[in-house]
Amino acid sequence: MTNTSLDLSNKVPAGHVSIIRRVVQTAARLNLKSFIVGAQARDLILQYCYRISVLRATTDFDFAFAAETWSEFIALRDLLVAENEFRRDARKEHRLVDKQDQASVDLIPFGPETDAIGPGVMVSAMVRYNSNYNGDFDMAQSRLVELYRGVTETLNGHLRNH
Protein backbone atom coordinates (compact mmCIF):
# COMPACT_ATOMS: atom_id res chain seq x y z
CA MET A 1 0.00 0.00 0.00
CA THR A 2 1.35 3.41 -0.97
CA ASN A 3 1.36 6.15 1.64
CA THR A 4 -0.17 9.29 0.15
CA SER A 5 -0.12 11.37 3.34
CA LEU A 6 1.74 14.66 3.28
CA ASP A 7 4.72 14.68 5.63
CA LEU A 8 4.67 17.59 8.07
CA SER A 9 7.02 15.89 10.55
CA ASN A 10 9.30 18.34 12.34
CA LYS A 11 8.28 21.21 10.04
CA VAL A 12 5.34 22.88 11.80
CA PRO A 13 6.10 25.45 14.54
CA ALA A 14 5.91 24.09 18.08
CA GLY A 15 3.03 26.43 19.04
CA HIS A 16 0.92 25.14 16.15
CA VAL A 17 1.75 21.54 17.02
CA SER A 18 0.74 22.14 20.62
CA ILE A 19 -2.68 23.52 19.67
CA ILE A 20 -3.35 20.79 17.12
CA ARG A 21 -2.25 18.04 19.50
CA ARG A 22 -4.39 19.30 22.40
CA VAL A 23 -7.54 19.60 20.29
CA VAL A 24 -7.11 16.31 18.40
CA GLN A 25 -6.16 14.30 21.49
CA THR A 26 -9.03 15.74 23.54
CA ALA A 27 -11.50 14.98 20.74
CA ALA A 28 -10.13 11.43 20.52
CA ARG A 29 -10.66 10.96 24.27
CA LEU A 30 -14.35 11.67 23.59
CA ASN A 31 -14.33 9.35 20.54
CA LEU A 32 -14.76 12.29 18.18
CA LYS A 33 -12.89 12.31 14.87
CA SER A 34 -11.49 15.74 14.01
CA PHE A 35 -9.53 17.49 11.30
CA ILE A 36 -8.27 20.97 10.47
CA VAL A 37 -10.23 22.94 7.88
CA GLY A 38 -10.01 26.45 6.52
CA ALA A 39 -7.08 28.74 5.93
CA GLN A 40 -4.78 27.12 8.50
CA ALA A 41 -5.08 23.76 6.72
CA ARG A 42 -4.23 25.48 3.44
CA ASP A 43 -1.29 27.37 4.96
CA LEU A 44 0.21 24.28 6.62
CA ILE A 45 0.16 22.38 3.34
CA LEU A 46 1.48 25.23 1.22
CA GLN A 47 4.23 26.29 3.61
CA TYR A 48 5.46 23.01 5.01
CA CYS A 49 4.78 20.52 2.23
CA TYR A 50 5.32 22.58 -0.91
CA ARG A 51 7.49 25.41 0.49
CA ILE A 52 5.20 28.06 -0.97
CA SER A 53 5.23 31.27 1.04
CA VAL A 54 1.86 32.44 2.25
CA LEU A 55 1.51 36.20 2.02
CA ARG A 56 -1.39 36.54 4.47
CA ALA A 57 -0.86 33.65 6.85
CA THR A 58 -3.67 33.04 9.30
CA THR A 59 -3.16 32.69 13.03
CA ASP A 60 -6.45 30.99 13.85
CA PHE A 61 -7.37 27.31 13.67
CA ASP A 62 -10.66 25.79 12.50
CA PHE A 63 -11.34 22.21 13.58
CA ALA A 64 -14.24 20.24 12.15
CA PHE A 65 -15.33 17.17 14.09
CA ALA A 66 -18.00 14.54 13.80
CA ALA A 67 -20.53 14.89 16.61
CA GLU A 68 -23.80 13.01 16.91
CA THR A 69 -25.31 15.52 19.35
CA TRP A 70 -24.86 19.04 20.67
CA SER A 71 -23.91 17.58 24.05
CA GLU A 72 -20.81 16.03 22.42
CA PHE A 73 -19.83 19.44 21.09
CA ILE A 74 -20.33 21.04 24.51
CA ALA A 75 -18.37 18.23 26.20
CA LEU A 76 -15.41 18.79 23.86
CA ARG A 77 -15.48 22.56 24.29
CA ASP A 78 -15.72 22.33 28.07
CA LEU A 79 -12.99 19.68 28.36
CA LEU A 80 -10.63 21.80 26.26
CA VAL A 81 -11.26 24.72 28.61
CA ALA A 82 -10.98 22.65 31.81
CA GLU A 83 -7.84 20.69 30.96
CA ASN A 84 -6.02 22.14 27.97
CA GLU A 85 -5.09 25.78 28.49
CA PHE A 86 -7.92 27.30 26.46
CA ARG A 87 -10.44 29.91 27.49
CA ARG A 88 -13.85 30.59 26.00
CA ASP A 89 -14.31 33.60 23.75
CA ALA A 90 -16.73 36.06 25.32
CA ARG A 91 -18.58 36.75 22.05
CA LYS A 92 -18.59 33.45 20.13
CA GLU A 93 -19.85 30.23 21.63
CA HIS A 94 -17.87 27.98 19.28
CA ARG A 95 -14.56 29.83 19.69
CA LEU A 96 -11.79 29.15 22.17
CA VAL A 97 -8.60 31.13 22.68
CA ASP A 98 -5.29 29.46 23.43
CA LYS A 99 -3.96 30.90 26.70
CA GLN A 100 -0.34 30.39 25.62
CA ASP A 101 -0.28 32.35 22.35
CA GLN A 102 -3.79 33.84 22.11
CA ALA A 103 -4.61 32.00 18.85
CA SER A 104 -8.31 31.52 18.12
CA VAL A 105 -9.63 27.98 17.80
CA ASP A 106 -13.04 27.52 16.17
CA LEU A 107 -14.84 24.24 16.83
CA ILE A 108 -17.13 23.29 13.94
CA PRO A 109 -19.31 20.24 14.58
CA PHE A 110 -21.01 18.23 11.87
CA GLY A 111 -23.34 15.26 12.18
CA PRO A 112 -27.03 14.33 12.33
CA GLU A 113 -28.15 16.80 15.00
CA THR A 114 -25.62 19.54 14.34
CA ASP A 115 -26.21 19.53 10.57
CA ALA A 116 -29.80 20.60 11.16
CA ILE A 117 -28.66 24.19 11.71
CA GLY A 118 -25.74 24.40 9.37
CA PRO A 119 -22.14 23.72 10.50
CA GLY A 120 -21.87 20.50 8.50
CA VAL A 121 -23.14 22.42 5.52
CA MET A 122 -20.04 24.61 5.74
CA VAL A 123 -17.70 21.61 5.53
CA SER A 124 -19.71 20.20 2.61
CA ALA A 125 -19.71 23.57 0.88
CA MET A 126 -15.95 23.90 1.25
CA VAL A 127 -15.50 20.54 -0.45
CA ARG A 128 -18.05 21.45 -3.14
CA TYR A 129 -16.44 24.85 -3.84
CA ASN A 130 -12.99 23.30 -4.00
CA SER A 131 -14.11 20.54 -6.38
CA ASN A 132 -15.95 23.04 -8.61
CA TYR A 133 -13.27 25.68 -8.41
CA ASN A 134 -13.33 27.71 -11.61
CA GLY A 135 -10.19 29.76 -11.08
CA ASP A 136 -11.90 32.77 -9.51
CA PHE A 137 -10.18 32.67 -6.12
CA ASP A 138 -11.69 35.91 -4.82
CA MET A 139 -15.23 34.74 -5.64
CA ALA A 140 -14.71 31.33 -4.01
CA GLN A 141 -13.15 32.93 -0.94
CA SER A 142 -15.92 35.50 -0.56
CA ARG A 143 -18.56 32.78 -0.83
CA LEU A 144 -16.84 30.75 1.88
CA VAL A 145 -16.47 33.80 4.12
CA GLU A 146 -20.16 34.64 3.64
CA LEU A 147 -21.15 31.03 4.32
CA TYR A 148 -18.88 30.87 7.40
CA ARG A 149 -20.40 34.07 8.84
CA GLY A 150 -23.91 32.71 8.41
CA VAL A 151 -23.02 29.37 9.95
CA THR A 152 -21.23 30.90 12.95
CA GLU A 153 -24.11 33.29 13.64
CA THR A 154 -26.55 30.39 13.55
CA LEU A 155 -24.27 28.22 15.68
CA ASN A 156 -23.84 30.95 18.30
CA GLY A 157 -27.61 31.52 18.47
CA HIS A 158 -28.31 27.80 18.85
CA LEU A 159 -25.73 27.33 21.61
CA ARG A 160 -26.99 30.29 23.61
CA ASN A 161 -30.38 28.57 23.76
CA HIS A 162 -29.00 25.24 25.06
Side-chain angles (χ1 to χ4, degrees):
M1 185 169 171
T2 304
N3 182 358
T4 59
S5 297
L6 298 172
D7 184 9
L8 296 173
S9 304
N10 301 313
K11 297 176 185 175
V12 179
H16 287 35
V17 171
S18 173
I19 290 170
I20 295 165
R21 182 174 288 132
R22 286 180 280 149
V23 173
V24 170
Q25 288 178 347
T26 302
R29 282 179 45 203
L30 297 171
N31 295 317
L32 300 172
K33 293 180 181 178
S34 61
F35 56 97
I36 299 174
V37 297
Q40 189 64 252
R42 176 204 63 211
D43 292 355
L44 290 172
I45 292 168
L46 290 176
Q47 287 180 311
Y48 303 112
C49 292
Y50 297 104
R51 296 183 181 149
I52 297 172
S53 296
V54 177
L55 298 177
R56 291 183 290 168
T58 184
T59 58
D60 68 322
F61 294 80
D62 301 311
F63 287 89
F65 61 95
E68 295 290 320
T69 66
W70 282 108
S71 60
E72 288 179 333
F73 166 80
I74 292 167
L76 174 61
R77 182 191 64 193
D78 292 351
L79 191 57
L80 285 166
V81 169
E83 298 181 5
N84 287 286
E85 296 297 315
F86 292 100
R87 65 176 171 77
R88 290 181 61 182
D89 183 280
R91 295 171 296 172
K92 297 186 178 184
E93 294 291 326
H94 69 288
R95 177 168 292 160
L96 301 178
V97 178
D98 181 50
K99 290 180 183 178
Q100 296 172 16
D101 66 9
Q102 303 305 306
S104 296
V105 175
D106 287 350
L107 303 175
I108 306 164
F110 64 95
E113 186 177 306
T114 58
D115 274 354
I117 66 154
V121 173
M122 186 183 74
V123 175
S124 300
M126 289 170 67
V127 171
R128 186 173 65 249
Y129 284 132
N130 287 333
S131 65
N132 293 328
Y133 181 64
N134 66 2
D136 186 348
F137 177 80
D138 290 332
M139 177 62 79
Q141 186 178 33
S142 68
R143 285 181 183 164
L144 287 175
V145 167
E146 182 179 307
L147 180 61
Y148 183 76
R149 283 186 186 136
V151 168
T152 56
E153 287 170 10
T154 305
L155 177 59
N156 284 326
H158 180 79
L159 290 172
R160 280 189 207 104
N161 296 325
H162 279 75

